[in-house]
Amino acid sequence: MATILEESGFNPDADLKVVGTNPVKHDGLDKVLGRAKFGADVYLPGMLYGKIVRSPHAHAKIKSIDISEAKKLPGVKAVITGADFPEIPQGSGWGDMSRTTIAREKVLFDGHPVAAIAAISEQVAKRACKLIKVEYDVLPHVIEVEDAIAKDAPILHDYMRTKGDEDAPDVPTNICEKMVSKIGDIDSGFASADFIVENDFDSKPMHQGYIEPQGCIADYSQDGLVELWTCTQAPFVYRDRLSAILKIDAAKINVQQSELGGGFGGKTGFYAEPLAIVLSKKASAPVKMTLTRTEVFRGTGPVSGTKSRIKMGCKRNGKIVAAEAELYFQTGPYTGSMYFNAPNAMFTRYDLPNIYIEAYEVVSNRPKVNSFRAPCVPQIVFGVEGLIDDMAKKVGMDPIDFRLKNAATEGHTTIYGDTWGPVGFVETLEAAKTTEHYRTPIKSGEGRGISCGFWFNRGGETASTMTLAPDGTVTISTGTADVAGSRISIAMMAAEELGIDVDKVRVKMSDTNSLGFNRVTAGSRTTFSVGMVVVDNARKCIGELCRRAANEWGVAEEEVKFENGEVKPASSNVGDFAPMSIGDITSKTTMTDGAIVSSSSMNVTGAGPGFGVHIVDVKVDEGTGRVDVLRWTVIQDAGKAIHPLQVEGQLQGAAIQGMGWALNEEYIYTQEGQLDNPGFLDYRMPVASDVPMVDCKIVEVPNPLHPFGLRGVGEVPVVPTMAAVGNAITAAIGIRPTSLPMSPPKLLDLIEKRDTLYP
Amino acid sequence: MAKAHVTTTVNGDEYEFLCEPQQSLVNVLRDELRLSGTKEGCSTGDCGACSVMMDDRLVCSCLVLAVETEGKHIETIEGMGTAENLHPLQRRFLEINGLQCGICTPGILVAAKALLKKNPNPTETEIRFWLAGNLCRCTGYDKIIRSVQAAAEDLRKDKSNGNHS
Ligand code: FES
Ligand code: FES
């Protein structure tokens, strides 16, 4: 079967008019003027303010909740607790989701919501929160993975047994799932190795750190319709989940996404939204809820902290022959960490004959984790790419050459069973070698690190509509979210296909009532998948434009063609007709068959794997353990960069997020299981003065299953980051850090250890 | 609780409002005056999303009490430019892609404008340290710094061409 690229005659070197340029994004103007409306920026008549009462305990039975005093406070319009939510059994997916929103039997983490209030002002709502009396029976808690899996650990759920582990005894456990993945025969693999490297690694949870705290406004009308305005990466998923846990028909819930002030995966699941809806129903008024930063840290999903042991072996010639891993992932109080991404992605990009991986997902008294760019992968790749560097050193090879020697290429069959088409890993590594950065020798006292990453990239359910206005301009409605500029990329692809100026196209983020289901905007799927449906929209509209023109000219449809935004006779034999622009045809729809619209809905497949290489230079102050990142270059295969500046932005942003995760960011808990650093002062994200410019080199190995050849770009660039920094630090100080974040106290300990080991 | 009556000037217009004594300026700007261009990312002075000018001084409006603004002159992002008459910073942020999600952008623009007023020719390091109080999680700061550099150059050129606006 011909690929879509062959069908469309795609030629990456052809003179694309729009794709590959950098127009100003259409949503940009409102954003620099302060007019863009984010989650917290909408105000409705009669609106109330909602606030949440949260548990101060990590693990406790709720004995009673007394809301009577709060209800009496003037200005309070509604008070709700878990009892106001439909009963759904514990241990089921919906039951867990409902209980993450608001606790029932027990509170399971510091910050777990137990009640919520709607009042006429934020100040009154805050005062009312203090009047709610909750009686707790405090239970022993557990925070770290090793404590949660220890014998006699406090158990979070009596009903929990390990899914995927037939040998597990029938007793309660904190291990929710086990997954085993393998290729070949691991024992004979290691038996044939000349060098074996092995280490234990660990990482702490970090937070997505979006600057916009969650904000929403819910309006439950008297006739049972719900209007929800919220900042989300997943309006349709929110609708369907709200429908399930609140037992309201999906058709009666309309979710309209706001501008999104950052998500990075953290806004793929809701928090305050169900509470706002129930409050609105009870108070019979719109309810606005915005989380404080403290609530964002305590109550919304960080990423999984991990523990792992990884072992790899290679031949003297640099060929890797075996890789083994045992991985543990925190998930918070309920399953759902997407830990399975790690075994599927950790070694994928190398062609390894023998692999054995055991992965475990573990509950503990922490907030429920949420997605973050390439969920569960970067913190494990930290270990893998560290060991790869150790092996390269042992065999005496350049780190890029060592990776090239093992790089997977077209036709590779992965551990998850896919066989790849054209992929650009080798090209990306080769491009890294030619960068000015890599060719410039490192100064003495500094360290340079290399690391690589892979991400599957995703497709999935995607729907859109295209409407041609009488003047020939085009509106597109999409149901995905715009997390950082996808609207302009979508408009560009449509403009390219329609042969018109990108300014004649506008993309609107639709509400859920107006469009078919769209999967969450995550997994680097959006520009790819929406590109597919929008090109389909455009081709359908072009077909209709041709039909109308042929009718007008009284010729057969095959006798006209669409070229550069115009319908014209297919050849001079057809007749002497002046070409008609889109507007020439759409201005006459009153006389023809009505407006030209097209709708497209697909379960998109064909996402092309993405690869990146990062090069990082650091300097470590051996007196304080402080790391200065001096230079950073990202090389990545984008398939085709639709809007190169936006692609660069993705690469640069991911690099610096990974730098924070590598050096500073972590969740710190007190002995009592309370989060000790729920603010930006103590949870230290990189600021402008911490970081260098980030140079980018975009490689383009087209994905043959996309009309413009593109691959997703958002996840890949975070995958190699911590390993790149770790390898650079190792090069600088001569001993390998294995624990994230590589914060000054840890590096000082390591330097001391080095000095005793090798005085 | 008794509310205070405050009169203040925002972007050249006089406003009167009532507020509780503990209400922050960002809270009043947004919830009372409905000037929601100023963002609230942390309420503790750590993210800079709420940056505004108060009597020509750059402040975090989450750390200013609304009652303190009596008789003061406040400038917010809403007063910085219009679509037809963008400030060079706004223009350069658009062109260079100095914004991705855009939630940090109002605060960064206000802060950067304050920098360029004080120091029309800042080095990269000076820009980075001046903006160290403005968190951005999307961009990695690269294109923000480049946008500020480009706008600084525009403003310097404007000035040498005798345009002192
Ligand atoms: S909201 Fe004021 S500094 Fe963050
Ligand atoms: S552009 Fe999103 S936080 Fe700066």
Side-chain angles (χ1 to χ4, degrees):
Chain A
M1 203 183 76
T3 68
I4 193 158
L5 281 192
E6 285 155 3
E7 272 173 23
S8 62
F10 174 79
N11 171 4
D13 303 321
D15 56 340
L16 291 166
K17 293 199 180 62
V18 188
V19 165
T21 64
N22 290 306
V24 168
K25 58 184 168 205
H26 298 152
D27 48 301
L29 191 57
D30 269 1
K31 287 177 175 170
V32 299
L33 293 173
R35 292 174 48 88
K37 287 181 195 65
F38 292 87
D41 296 340
V42 158
Y43 298 82
L44 292 180
M47 183 186 92
L48 305 173
Y49 291 82
K51 280 270 153 216
I52 302 172
V53 179
R54 293 174 183 271
S55 164
H57 304 295
H59 195 193
K61 251 212 188 89
I62 301 177
K63 283 166 73 182
S64 65
I65 305 177
D66 180 0
I67 60 170
S68 54
E69 290 301 310
K71 266 167 81 176
K72 277 188 228 152
L73 187 75
V76 170
K77 296 294 179 188
V79 183
I80 59 168
T81 67
D84 292 284
F85 283 69
E87 183 43 44
I88 307 174
Q90 309 193 46
S92 63
W94 297 131
D96 291 354
M97 192 174 288
S98 184
R99 282 168 179 76
T100 307
T101 303
I102 190 160
R104 306 297 152 76
E105 304 79 8
K106 294 206 283 187
V107 291
L108 291 160
F109 57 96
D110 165 50
H112 201 158
V114 290
I117 284 169
I120 55 166
S121 74
E122 210 173 333
Q123 293 73 35
V124 173
K126 274 189 203 159
R127 260 170 243 142
C129 284
K130 296 200 182 114
L131 299 175
I132 291 195
K133 292 185 205 82
V134 188
E135 243 192 295
Y136 295 101
D137 198 354
V138 178
L139 300 167
H141 67 273
V142 59
I143 298 288
E144 302 299 342
V145 163
E146 56 269 42
D147 300 330
I149 61 175
K151 248 185 138 156
D152 306 323
I155 292 289
L156 271 72
H157 310 291
D158 290 334
Y159 55 80
M160 187 168 278
R161 305 290 182 275
T162 306
K163 212 168 118 190
D165 189 356
E166 284 106 50
D167 305 331
D170 185 21
V171 290
T173 172
N174 289 325
I175 302 180
C176 10
E177 273 189 39
K178 173 181 179 179
M179 173 175 168
V180 175
S181 318
K182 53 187 160 193
I183 287 182
D185 176 41
I186 194 66
D187 292 333
S188 58
F190 277 116
S192 70
D194 294 317
F195 299 105
I196 292 178
V197 292
E198 181 173 10
N199 227 323
D200 291 320
F201 300 93
D202 67 81
S203 72
K204 289 275 192 272
M206 59 88 85
H207 196 274
Q208 293 82 355
Y210 36 80
I211 306 302
E212 178 200 29
Q214 273 82 354
C216 69
I217 177 159
D219 193 1
Y220 190 104
S221 76
Q222 294 288 314
D223 55 355
L225 299 181
V226 178
E227 289 286 339
L228 176 68
W229 162 272
T230 188
C231 54
T232 172
Q233 293 175 245
F236 290 86
V237 174
Y238 275 29
R239 177 198 64 185
D240 297 340
R241 290 181 178 174
L242 288 165
S243 163
I245 71 160
L246 299 178
K247 302 215 165 99
I248 301 172
D249 291 347
K252 293 186 182 160
I253 304 174
N254 188 32
V255 180
Q256 172 63 62
Q257 53 179 314
S258 66
E259 291 293 340
L260 186 72
F264 317 111
K267 288 173 183 167
T268 56
F270 50 61
Y271 296 96
E273 288 84 350
L275 306 174
I277 293 171
V278 175
L279 283 169
S280 171
K281 180 179 181 185
K282 218 166 184 177
S284 193
V287 174
K288 177 172 185 165
M289 294 184 88
T290 39
L291 300 190
T292 64
R293 181 56 55 181
T294 310
E295 288 182 289
V296 170
F297 277 115
R298 286 173 76 206
T300 76
V303 310
S304 292
T306 59
K307 273 211 139 345
S308 61
R309 190 190 55 81
I310 309 174
K311 181 177 167 187
M312 298 180 85
C314 71
K315 294 285 217 192
R316 226 174 294 279
N317 66 5
K319 190 82 192 97
I320 306 171
V321 287
E324 185 181 68
E326 187 180 338
L327 316 170
Y328 292 88
F329 295 85
Q330 296 164 358
T331 177
Y334 295 111
T335 181
S337 63
M338 297 206 267
Y339 75 104
F340 46 80
N341 284 331
N344 287 342
M346 62 187 290
F347 299 120
T348 304
R349 71 202 162 278
Y350 300 115
D351 191 13
L352 309 184
N354 305 293
I355 302 178
Y356 181 82
I357 307 168
E358 274 181 21
Y360 299 88
E361 188 191 45
V362 181
V363 290
S364 63
N365 297 110
R366 293 172 172 272
K368 171 77 195 334
V369 301
N370 207 337
S371 308
F372 174 70
R373 302 176 105 151
C376 292
V377 176
Q379 60 270 58
I380 299 301
V381 164
F382 168 65
V384 174
E385 288 285 324
L387 293 180
I388 298 259
D389 249 30
D390 292 345
M391 283 189 287
K393 207 175 214 171
K394 279 203 160 50
V395 299
M397 276 174 82
D398 168 89
I400 294 188
D401 288 338
F402 183 84
R403 287 165 169 91
L404 273 167
K405 173 121 196 154
N406 291 286
T409 52
E410 182 169 357
H412 172 70
T413 298
T414 64
I415 196 161
Y416 52 92
D418 276 9
T419 298
W420 285 345
V423 291
F425 188 33
V426 167
E427 288 80 352
T428 309
L429 284 163
E430 296 284 6
K433 272 176 91 168
T434 65
T435 53
E436 209 253 323
H437 185 173
Y438 198 64
R439 286 184 288 125
T440 309
I442 187 95
K443 290 199 204 89
S444 93
E446 296 173 3
R448 175 167 298 161
I450 301 292
S451 166
C452 306
F454 148 85
W455 181 250
F456 317 90
N457 292 327
R458 308 282 194 201
E461 303 99 304
T462 312
S464 60
T465 59
M466 180 180 281
T467 307
L468 309 187
D471 64 355
T473 57
V474 178
T475 35
I476 297 168
S477 283
T478 68
T480 50
D482 184 346
V483 295
S486 56
R487 265 168 293 181
I488 186 68
S489 306
I490 293 162
M492 289 168 74
M493 289 185 281
E496 187 75 58
E497 196 67 22
L498 292 169
I500 57 176
D501 195 279
V502 67
D503 203 40
K504 300 286 177 219
V505 184
R506 277 296 182 278
V507 178
K508 181 180 181 321
M509 302 181 299
S510 167
D511 60 0
T512 56
N513 272 355
S514 311
L515 214 56
F517 180 84
N518 275 264
R519 193 196 276 198
V520 51
T521 291
S524 297
R525 76 171 213 90
T526 299
T527 307
F528 167 75
S529 306
V530 182
M532 298 288 272
V533 289
V534 161
V535 167
D536 183 53
N537 283 138
R539 290 181 185 174
K540 286 174 177 161
C541 285
I542 289 170
E544 185 58 18
L545 288 165
C546 288
R547 194 181 69 82
R548 305 257 177 125
N551 272 353
E552 186 171 329
W553 292 332
V555 303
E557 261 175 72
E558 308 76 63
E559 291 177 305
V560 306
K561 64 175 180 186
F562 189 85
E563 209 175 68
N564 294 328
E566 293 176 324
V567 184
K568 38 183 91 148
S571 72
S572 50
N573 302 337
V574 177
D576 188 17
F577 302 109
M580 285 198 269
S581 68
I582 297 177
D584 290 339
I585 300 169
T586 53
S587 59
K588 287 184 274 198
T589 50
T590 328
M591 277 92 76
T592 58
D593 295 329
I596 297 178
V597 297
S598 77
S599 153
S600 181
S601 173
M602 292 184 198
N603 199 348
V604 177
T605 57
F611 303 88
V613 179
H614 290 217
I615 310 169
V616 174
D617 294 353
V618 303
K619 194 179 172 80
V620 182
D621 179 343
E622 297 215 352
T624 61
R626 181 195 152 99
V627 175
D628 276 316
V629 175
L630 307 169
R631 190 166 182 189
W632 197 308
T633 304
V634 182
I635 305 97
Q636 187 172 319
D637 179 14
K640 174 76 197 167
I642 304 298
H643 188 298
L645 274 183
Q646 302 268 18
V647 172
E648 284 181 15
Q650 288 292 308
L651 310 191
Q652 293 167 332
I656 299 310
Q657 289 178 343
M659 178 187 143
W661 201 353
L663 296 176
N664 293 308
E665 297 180 35
E666 62 179 309
Y667 265 44
I668 300 168
Y669 279 88
T670 65
Q671 283 297 318
E672 290 71 42
Q674 285 148 344
L675 184 60
D676 212 13
N677 58 336
F680 281 139
L681 195 59
D682 297 318
Y683 182 94
R684 178 70 162 66
M685 306 202 310
V687 302
S689 54
D690 294 332
V691 311
M693 293 291 190
V694 177
D695 294 330
C696 300
K697 185 163 190 169
I698 300 172
V699 176
E700 294 184 328
V701 177
N703 168 14
L705 300 176
H706 189 273
F708 298 110
L710 85 87
R711 300 169 192 272
V713 294
E715 330 277 308
V716 174
V718 83
V719 176
T721 48
M722 292 99 84
V725 176
N727 287 342
I729 293 174
T730 307
I733 65 173
I735 184 165
R736 174 165 298 287
T738 56
S739 175
L740 288 173
M742 297 172 278
S743 52
K746 283 192 203 158
L747 290 190
L748 278 183
D749 282 352
L750 208 59
I751 288 164
E752 198 178 311
K753 186 171 149 200
R754 174 200 68 192
D755 292 342
T756 37
L757 280 177
Y758 325 101
Chain B
M1 196 167 295
K3 291 195 173 185
H5 175 267
V6 179
T7 308
T8 187
T9 304
V10 184
N11 302 325
D13 297 323
E14 195 178 282
Y15 284 88
E16 286 177 65
F17 57 84
L18 296 175
C19 69
E20 294 201 7
Q22 78 279 20
Q23 258 179 288
S24 64
L25 174 58
V26 64
N27 189 284
V28 164
L29 284 172
R30 293 177 51 85
D31 288 358
E32 311 294 335
L33 309 186
R34 299 284 155 93
L35 291 167
S36 61
T38 303
K39 305 302 177 193
E40 186 165 19
C42 69
S43 328
T44 51
D46 299 312
C47 77
C50 65
S51 301
V52 301
M53 298 301 286
M54 183 162 81
D55 284 355
D56 276 333
R57 200 158 57 89
L58 179 64
V59 294
C60 290
S61 59
C62 69
L63 297 183
V64 174
L65 292 174
V67 289
E68 291 179 79
T69 65
E70 174 67 42
K72 296 264 196 319
H73 288 261
I74 309 294
E75 272 174 67
T76 71
I77 186 66
E78 284 92 346
M80 193 159 169
T82 61
E84 286 73 42
N85 192 16
L86 287 173
H87 188 277
L89 277 161
Q90 292 171 312
R91 190 154 34 80
R92 290 303 195 171
F93 268 68
L94 286 175
E95 279 168 18
I96 296 172
N97 210 30
L99 66 149
Q100 287 183 26
C101 79
I103 193 83
C104 67
T105 311
I108 288 187
L109 288 170
V110 168
K113 187 179 164 192
L115 166 67
L116 298 186
K117 195 164 175 193
K118 250 185 140 82
N119 179 357
N121 195 3
T123 62
E124 180 190 330
T125 306
E126 284 168 337
I127 300 173
R128 287 187 178 279
F129 276 88
W130 182 271
L131 291 180
N134 291 81
L135 290 175
C136 172
R137 192 60 155 175
C138 296
T139 63
Y141 303 104
D142 183 298
K143 296 194 193 313
I144 290 177
I145 305 300
R146 291 180 199 278
S147 304
V148 176
Q149 287 172 324
E153 204 181 318
D154 293 345
L155 284 164
R156 288 196 304 272
K157 273 193 202 136
D158 261 14
K159 202 154 201 176
S160 61
N161 291 343
N163 180 348
H164 292 277
S165 73

